[in-house]
Amino acid sequence: MAYDVALFSGGPMPDDGQEIKRGRKFDQVLEGAREVFLRDGFDGASVDDIARAAGVSKATLYSYFPDKRLLFMEVARSECQAQADMATAQIDPRLPIRDVLLFAGEQMIAIMSQTFNQRMYRMCVAESERFPEIGRQFYECGPGLVRDRIAFFLRKYVEKGDLVIVDFDLAAEQFALLCKVDLMDRCLFKLETTYSNAEITRVVEGAVDMFLARYGRRA
């Protein structure tokens, strides 16, 4: 029917007032959508395929997500949040700042190297031209979330006197970008999708050394 086509064919975006509704099969729907989006992309994902992969009716799917944009962004948001929470939980702020930065850098590269993250990143960038809201929301739940998590720990080490930082957002973004030098471009252009331990160590140690040279407390 026309309703199906408008919502799941890349047609006009719905009104901003539409909201996600949660229920017993919410996670089931997300997992099915995750599978279909990765296989078929944003435009290629259909309501029938997502409902079939999730094992739910189309009515159930619509009751949770009134449009494809909301479903697509919830898949990205939930994955980014889970990965950020897992990485953050492993950081011990009692360790020296260098150790914490090395660990954070290695985690960022590990996350960047995952197939799901690479494909979701490409899809969000591609769809941002037509649907700027997708780009904005992905930035907030992806790069923006990483910046905020890094800035949170940087503040702790400034309070302890190990770092000297005035603009925490800028410092956090600088560190994140330093950890992606060379590897990010090779990843996005599909030159390589995995890296040796030596390559990761080279990039992360270089990022940490440069960051501490700029922001580390001097005797």
Side-chain angles (χ1 to χ4, degrees):
M1 57 186 180
Y3 181 62
D4 292 4
V5 174
L7 293 183
F8 282 83
S9 66
M13 287 293 99
D15 294 338
D16 291 338
Q18 292 185 330
E19 297 178 354
I20 294 172
K21 297 179 182 178
R22 297 179 181 273
R24 182 169 55 86
K25 296 184 178 181
F26 184 84
D27 291 339
Q28 195 172 322
V29 170
L30 277 189
E31 187 55 36
R34 184 183 191 277
E35 174 187 331
V36 175
F37 280 132
L38 287 183
R39 185 188 69 211
D40 300 334
F42 182 81
D43 276 340
S46 71
V47 61
D48 291 309
D49 288 342
I50 293 175
R52 187 180 304 111
V56 301
S57 67
K58 289 195 290 185
T60 297
L61 179 59
Y62 285 135
S63 71
Y64 291 151
F65 297 95
D67 75 88
K68 185 164 67 171
R69 175 183 59 83
L70 290 176
L71 178 53
F72 181 73
M73 286 315 307
E74 182 60 20
V75 170
R77 188 207 63 79
S78 62
E79 193 76 17
C80 289
Q81 186 73 49
Q83 292 174 355
D85 289 346
M86 183 178 299
T88 301
Q90 299 178 68
I91 294 178
D92 184 351
R94 296 170 297 181
L95 293 174
I97 180 59
R98 181 178 176 81
D99 292 346
V100 169
L101 291 175
L102 287 171
F103 175 80
E106 291 169 356
Q107 287 296 301
M108 279 190 282
I109 292 175
I111 290 172
M112 178 184 73
S113 301
Q114 293 180 20
T115 300
F116 173 88
N117 296 328
Q118 294 173 15
R119 291 180 179 175
M120 186 60 67
Y121 183 94
R122 291 191 183 94
M123 279 190 281
C124 287
V125 171
E127 296 304 328
S128 294
E129 184 69 26
R130 291 189 301 162
F131 308 130
E133 183 65 12
I134 286 181
R136 185 187 67 80
Q137 291 186 28
F138 181 74
Y139 176 82
E140 291 178 353
C141 71
L145 178 61
V146 171
R147 177 202 62 214
D148 292 344
R149 293 295 177 90
I150 294 174
F152 172 80
F153 285 100
L154 294 180
R155 290 181 186 277
K156 289 183 176 294
Y157 283 92
V158 168
E159 291 170 0
K160 294 197 297 183
D162 295 329
L163 297 173
V164 179
I165 298 174
V166 176
D167 190 334
F168 286 93
D169 285 348
L170 177 61
E173 289 168 350
Q174 288 172 332
F175 180 69
L177 288 173
L178 285 171
C179 291
K180 298 175 183 177
V181 167
D182 184 36
L183 303 183
M184 182 71 169
D185 284 344
R186 287 158 59 188
C187 169
L188 291 179
F189 289 107
K190 298 187 76 67
L191 302 179
E192 296 170 5
T193 55
T194 59
Y195 313 103
S196 68
N197 290 335
E199 289 177 299
I200 294 172
T201 297
R202 170 178 171 264
V203 170
V204 174
E205 288 188 349
V208 172
D209 288 343
M210 184 172 288
F211 187 83
L212 291 178
R214 170 62 179 87
Y215 294 110
R217 178 171 60 87
R218 293 166 176 75

